[in-house]
């Protein structure tokens, strides 16, 4: 678990795809293989792509050798994320040699960032498709089948894929993602997302509620509402008479059924409102857990990052959360070694961590991304060894906090949604509590999708262990 946190969580998750689709009727005449990198939105986009391809007679496969089409849904957030994909492409060469008819497509943020350049740099690539252009996949595949390499990286101001029912590629059948918006208008100076994902737009509230209800009817018990900045969700219907804020959307989804758990990510500290916090307090099925990326504990660095809040403002927000939701889990993202960061400013980030005592943290050192405001305005002047040392200090501090947060739960009883068998043994089940902590306990007669009250008896830094009460 901790490894996952510290090891660039967005790059490690490949090949998680495709179980529920395995038992679909065998009516497809072609097969696609898809691999996803990056954030949850990217994984959810792959499910939209799967849905579009199913409609074209392409069925999914987990076996690259039988694929007619290999797709990689890529991430550009840090240089390492792109390097991972480049290395992966090298491995595809073998398959292309073996099967010259095989098409290879790059989807997602790297496609958007590099556009047609990708075709020049990676000769085996046939298709380059940006995040807003997936509806054109069938046409582009047809072109590529005719021997023409093709690219569509147009960004859109309207596309939300709201009408497409994603084909669920995850495999637990209990938890699922639902995208509620796309793009980002924030322009944090370090970040490539506004360039790869375009302008922010909110998806039709009715289609979101419909999708969540369908998931519930199909046995799912948890949805995570996704957006780069969910608190700025704001949907207006065509006539302009009806508007829905994020707090109102949360309420509508919470009202589907008390047995449907709701999570959301990500909250920008500047946008999360008291209204959202009160809505969370009002509905038991909205999990008391907020991912509230701080990025840095120094006001000067936050300003350079264009995060638009100060250290004090962030701390007040945390206090407000604790006031309204006393048992709320809080997690964060931290970037260390941003341009001009001093040792004192690094210490301020550590002090912020001491103040909040995060339950979970994703920690990175700064990776300059071409074209971003920071790349244009500031020099990436912190030497790599300093960045790495600061990151190691932050990670060590976080480990202490996370262990402490786990230990505090020992002796408590919490409500766990069961997601499946524990990795170690089928005699045990695992699930999560509201605060998103993983809990393992003896199976007895419980099963996937059940809510179970579990008394925590012990813990490691990543997992709670308990018994059903
Ligand atoms: N929309 C979300 C996060 C998107 S990216 C938000 O606003 O919080 C996920 C995380 O990657 C960011 O929170 C940030 O901590 C990290 N990140 C983004 N750009 C980065 C860069 N250039 N170098 C290192 N980390 C970066
Ligand atoms: Fe990037 Fe900032 Fe938008 Fe998050 S809010 S996606 S960090 S620009
Ligand atoms: Fe990566 Fe794009 Fe998500 S850059 S983090 S896949 S929005």
């Amino acid at each position: 678990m901790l490894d996952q946190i510290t090891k660039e969580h967005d790059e490690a998750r490949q090949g998680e795809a495709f179980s529920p689709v395995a038992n679909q009727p065998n009516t497809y005449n072609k097969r696609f293989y898809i691999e996803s990198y990056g954030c949850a939105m990217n994984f959810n986009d792959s499910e939209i792509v799967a849905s579009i391809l199913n409609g074209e007679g392409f069925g999914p496969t987990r076996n690259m050798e039988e694929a007619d089409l290999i797709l990689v849904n890529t991430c550009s957030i840090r240089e390492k994320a792109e390097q991972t994909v480049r290395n992966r492409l090298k491995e595809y060469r073998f398959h292309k040699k073996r099967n010259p008819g095989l098409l290879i497509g790059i989807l997602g943020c790297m496609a958007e960032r590099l556009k047609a350049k990708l075709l020049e740099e990676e000769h085996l690539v046939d298709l380059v498709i940006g995040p807003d252009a997936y509806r054109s996949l069938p046409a582009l595949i047809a072109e590529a089948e005719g021997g023409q390499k093709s690219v569509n990286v147009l960004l859109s101001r309207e596309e939300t894929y709201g009408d497409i029912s994603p084909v669920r590629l995850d495999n637990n059948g209990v938890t699922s993602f639902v995208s509620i918006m796309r793009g980002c208008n924030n322009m944090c100076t370090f970040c490539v997302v506004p360039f790869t994902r375009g302008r922010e737009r909110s998806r039709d509230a009715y289609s979101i509620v419909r999708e969540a209800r369908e998931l519930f009817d199909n046995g799912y018990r948890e949805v995570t509402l996704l957006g780069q900045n969910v608190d700025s969700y704001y949907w207006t219907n065509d006539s302009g008479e009806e508007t829905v804020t994020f707090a109102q959307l949360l309420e509508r989804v919470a009202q589907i059924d008390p047995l449907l758990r709701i999570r959301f990510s990500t909250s920008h500290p500047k946008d999360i409102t008291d209204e959202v916090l009160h809505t969370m307090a009002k509905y038991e099925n909205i999990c008391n857990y907020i991912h509230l990326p701080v990025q840095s504990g120094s006001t000067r660095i936050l300003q350079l990052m264009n995060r638009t809040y100060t250290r004090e403002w962030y701390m007040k927000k945390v206090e407000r959360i604790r006031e309204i939701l006393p048992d709320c889990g809080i997690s964060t993202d931290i970037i260390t070694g941003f341009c001009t960061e001093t040792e004192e400013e690094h210490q301020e980030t550590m002090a912020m961590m001491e103040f909040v005592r995060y339950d979970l943290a994703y920690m990175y050192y700064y990776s300059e991304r071409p074209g971003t405001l920071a790349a244009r305005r500031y020099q990436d002047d912190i030497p790599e060894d300093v960045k790495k040392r600061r990151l190691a200090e932050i990670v060590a501090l976080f480990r202490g906090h996370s262990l402490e947060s786990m230990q505090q739960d020992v002796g408590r009883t919490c409500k766990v949604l069961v997601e499946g068998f524990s990795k170690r043994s089928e005699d045990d089940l695992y699930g999560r509590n509201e605060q998103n902590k993983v809990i393992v306990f003896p199976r007895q007669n419980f099963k996937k999708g059940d809510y179970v009250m579990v008394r925590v008896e012990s813990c490691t830094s990543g997992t709670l262990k308990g018994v059903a009460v």
Side-chain angles (χ1 to χ4, degrees):
M1 182 76 184
L2 272 171
D3 273 343
Q4 196 189 337
I5 297 161
T6 51
K7 230 181 43 190
E8 309 262 329
H9 71 297
D10 55 348
E11 286 152 35
R13 304 160 53 185
Q14 64 184 38
E16 280 183 6
F18 319 125
S19 322
V21 276
N23 32 11
Q24 283 190 353
N26 209 353
T27 52
Y28 303 114
N29 45 27
K30 287 179 189 164
R31 295 274 154 192
F32 73 93
Y33 170 97
I34 192 165
E35 224 170 72
S36 306
Y37 297 85
C39 59
M41 292 213 77
N42 238 25
F43 280 73
N44 194 224
D45 279 3
S46 292
E47 300 181 326
I48 289 166
V49 166
S51 176
I52 293 171
L53 288 174
N54 282 178
E56 295 297 309
F58 276 91
T61 174
R62 287 172 135 176
N63 179 0
M64 259 197 245
E65 296 193 358
E66 64 173 30
D68 303 283
L69 171 67
I70 293 181
L71 297 172
V72 206
N73 199 353
T74 61
C75 175
S76 286
I77 201 82
R78 284 168 289 277
E79 195 185 341
K80 218 169 130 201
E82 292 201 356
Q83 205 48 54
T84 307
V85 168
R86 301 265 189 188
N87 292 340
R88 203 64 191 128
L89 285 175
K90 288 192 191 115
E91 288 170 43
Y92 296 158
R93 264 186 220 149
F94 163 76
H95 295 282
K96 188 108 176 176
K97 262 202 199 114
R98 199 182 34 81
N99 170 13
L102 172 69
L103 296 180
I104 294 181
I106 307 279
L107 313 177
C109 291
M110 240 176 118
E112 192 61 50
R113 193 177 85 71
L114 294 161
K115 307 189 168 56
K117 247 201 305 187
L118 261 179
L119 292 179
E120 291 160 29
E121 291 171 8
E122 304 285 350
H123 291 291
L124 80 175
V125 172
D126 303 286
L127 299 156
V128 175
I129 308 171
D132 285 347
Y134 296 145
R135 282 182 209 270
S136 69
L137 255 165
L140 297 186
I141 291 170
E143 270 180 38
E145 281 171 339
Q148 174 97 41
K149 299 206 173 205
S150 49
V151 180
N152 185 352
V153 288
L154 284 177
L155 286 172
S156 157
R157 282 178 178 255
E158 287 94 35
E159 182 63 272
T160 60
Y161 302 110
D163 58 318
I164 296 181
S165 283
V167 171
R168 302 296 163 185
L169 298 172
D170 59 294
N171 48 21
N172 73 11
V174 178
T175 62
S176 185
F177 296 127
V178 175
S179 292
I180 63 165
M181 57 205 296
R182 299 181 72 81
C184 183
N185 285 355
N186 276 330
M187 288 299 193
C188 302
T189 56
F190 52 78
C191 186
V192 77
V193 172
F195 304 95
T196 61
R197 294 260 164 183
R199 305 290 292 174
E200 181 184 293
R201 65 221 96 121
S202 296
R203 175 178 169 190
D204 180 330
Y206 289 92
S207 81
I208 295 168
V209 174
R210 202 181 313 123
E211 187 178 325
R213 182 170 289 127
E214 272 170 24
L215 284 164
F216 183 75
D217 291 343
N218 288 324
Y220 285 82
R221 289 295 173 266
E222 182 181 297
V223 294
T224 302
L225 307 180
L226 292 180
Q228 295 299 349
N229 183 14
V230 288
D231 298 281
S232 69
Y233 176 88
Y234 191 75
W235 177 73
T236 313
N237 75 345
D238 287 338
S239 67
E241 282 156 7
E242 188 187 4
T243 59
V244 180
T245 63
F246 181 59
Q248 290 163 337
L249 179 72
L250 265 182
E251 179 149 45
R252 288 189 190 190
V253 179
Q255 283 171 346
I256 290 173
D257 196 293
L259 287 177
L260 180 66
R261 250 188 188 180
I262 293 115
R263 298 186 187 278
F264 54 88
S265 185
T266 298
S267 294
H268 194 300
K270 80 174 158 60
D271 291 318
I272 188 165
T273 59
D274 277 8
E275 199 195 349
V276 166
L277 301 179
H278 287 304
T279 307
M280 290 173 74
K282 182 168 160 199
Y283 290 93
E284 219 225 271
N285 55 333
I286 305 179
C287 290
N288 282 343
Y289 178 82
I290 299 176
H291 186 57
L292 197 72
V294 67
Q295 313 298 0
S296 166
S298 146
T299 296
R300 189 186 73 90
I301 293 292
L302 287 169
Q303 255 164 12
L304 290 184
M305 288 176 163
N306 192 29
R307 289 292 287 184
T308 72
Y309 51 85
T310 61
R311 169 187 179 78
E312 290 70 30
W313 200 91
Y314 184 93
M315 290 162 113
K316 283 224 176 74
K317 199 46 102 178
V318 169
E319 279 170 347
R320 192 76 184 135
I321 292 170
R322 299 247 154 96
E323 215 175 292
I324 299 175
L325 305 162
D327 64 342
C328 191
I330 300 182
S331 59
T332 201
D333 293 344
I334 294 173
I335 299 177
T336 187
F338 188 65
C339 314
T340 74
E341 183 189 70
T342 65
E343 249 358 276
E344 291 71 46
E345 287 161 343
H346 166 59
Q347 290 302 328
E348 281 189 287
T349 298
M350 309 261 279
M352 178 65 93
M353 294 170 75
E354 292 282 8
F355 174 78
V356 185
R357 306 189 100 79
Y358 293 107
D359 298 288
L360 195 63
Y362 298 97
M363 297 155 285
Y364 315 96
Y365 63 78
Y366 175 56
S367 163
E368 185 179 81
R369 308 311 294 131
T372 54
L373 292 173
R376 280 184 266 157
R377 282 186 198 159
Y378 316 124
Q379 206 187 337
D380 179 14
D381 59 353
I382 307 299
E384 189 159 309
D385 58 330
V386 176
K387 284 182 181 171
K388 285 189 173 160
R389 194 248 310 145
R390 288 181 190 168
L391 180 62
E393 288 173 11
I394 281 176
V395 168
L397 183 62
F398 166 67
R399 287 203 167 149
H401 292 164
S402 109
L403 183 62
E404 181 188 280
S405 149
M406 298 300 264
Q407 283 164 343
Q408 275 170 2
D409 283 344
V410 175
R412 287 187 190 154
T413 297
C414 46
K415 190 174 179 180
V416 176
L417 172 60
V418 181
E419 293 181 23
F421 291 118
S422 135
K423 264 185 228 138
R424 296 240 171 98
S425 152
E426 296 218 340
D427 295 334
D428 291 334
L429 294 171
Y430 90 96
R432 277 165 217 274
N433 69 7
E434 246 192 276
Q435 288 75 21
N436 216 15
K437 290 179 184 162
V438 175
I439 305 194
V440 174
F441 63 97
R443 174 167 73 167
Q444 297 174 281
N445 290 322
F446 299 110
K447 58 180 189 317
K448 217 159 85 160
D450 286 349
Y451 286 100
V452 184
M453 295 308 290
V454 178
R455 195 182 58 244
V456 180
E457 303 205 306
S458 65
C459 72
T460 64
S461 60
T463 312
L464 301 173
K465 292 201 176 106
V467 284
V469 291

